[in-house]
Amino acid sequence: INAASFARRLLELGAAAGNQALLNKAHKVLQRSETEGRNALDIEYDEKNPFTVCAASLTPIYRGSPSIRSAFCHATYKPEFKDSVCVLDKMSVVGLDTVGLVSTP
């Protein structure tokens, strides 16, 4: 159940620390998800497999899957977005290797 997984992770990582309203909501979502035991929507998500998020489609790119990057901001994309303009920096071409000034994180 995806909602339970998200709520459990939120609580485990302490991401809601200091935000009592968010903590309460995460607990409620966790309880309701465990009692109902179903997903209302099917989403492409595997909680056991690490991933990055495609900047264009906002879908996961799982470890070991092919991916490309924006040369300037290093945003990750699925290969089908090669040669498009980066949606984050709006100036670099996705998947293009560059020579010269390149920003590195």
Side-chain angles (χ1 to χ4, degrees), residues 1-17 19 21-35 39 43 45 47:
I1 300 155
N2 296 327
S5 170
F6 294 140
R8 196 174 301 109
R9 243 183 110 134
L10 185 67
L11 294 169
E12 287 171 0
L13 295 175
N19 188 339
L22 188 56
L23 281 170
N24 292 340
K25 191 170 189 174
H27 282 293
K28 287 179 185 177
V29 167
L30 184 59
Q31 289 172 349
R32 185 168 181 191
S33 298
E34 289 175 343
T35 57
N39 286 323
I43 60 173
Y45 174 67
E47 67 178 294

Side-chain angles (χ1 to χ4, degrees), residues 2 9 15 17 31 36-37 43 45 50 54 59 67 84-86 88-89 99 101-102:
N2 296 327
R9 243 183 110 134
Q31 289 172 349
E36 288 187 17
I43 60 173
Y45 174 67
C54 175
T59 56
S67 66
S84 62
V85 176
C86 177
L88 298 179
D89 64 40
V99 179
L101 180 62
V102 177

Side-chain angles (χ1 to χ4, degrees), residues 91-105:
M91 64 180 177
S92 62
V93 176
V94 175
L96 185 68
D97 290 331
T98 60
V99 179
L101 180 62
V102 177
S103 173
T104 56

